[in-house]
Amino acid sequence: MAEVELKTAPADFRFPTTNQTRHCFTRYIEFHRCLAAKGEESGECERFSKYYRSLCPGEWVEKWNEQRETGTFPGPL
């Protein structure tokens, strides 16, 4: 797997406060929606991957990945 260069996600007017929890969750969902719509081979979703990886704690991502695999993920994918 190629190494991912992490950069901070650009400012998003939907998340004006310093608490980035919702921003993190939204970017994670956007990434997986993009994959579902365009396929894993599409490079168009890579930016969403970079965004959520820079915002979300690794433990959250691991838990969400497990929840997606078991069908218990709480968000709309």
Side-chain angles (χ1 to χ4, degrees):
M1 187 166 145
E3 188 171 320
V4 177
E5 179 184 347
L6 294 182
K7 293 183 181 178
T8 301
D12 191 325
F13 69 90
R14 297 175 293 178
F15 310 103
T17 63
T18 57
N19 183 346
Q20 295 296 304
T21 303
R22 176 176 250 160
H23 191 179
C24 155
F25 189 69
T26 300
R27 293 299 190 173
Y28 180 85
I29 290 173
E30 287 174 338
F31 171 69
H32 288 286
R33 284 183 176 170
C34 181
L35 286 182
K38 301 184 187 282
E40 292 191 23
E41 285 74 37
S42 173
E44 296 179 47
C45 304
E46 190 61 33
R47 65 186 172 130
F48 294 118
S49 173
K50 289 179 182 177
Y51 296 165
Y52 89 76
R53 289 172 192 247
S54 73
L55 290 167
C56 302
E59 295 83 14
W60 293 6
V61 173
E62 289 174 18
K63 182 173 182 174
W64 293 338
N65 288 339
E66 290 172 10
Q67 289 175 332
R68 280 188 317 101
E69 290 171 7
T70 60
T72 60
F73 184 72
L77 293 177

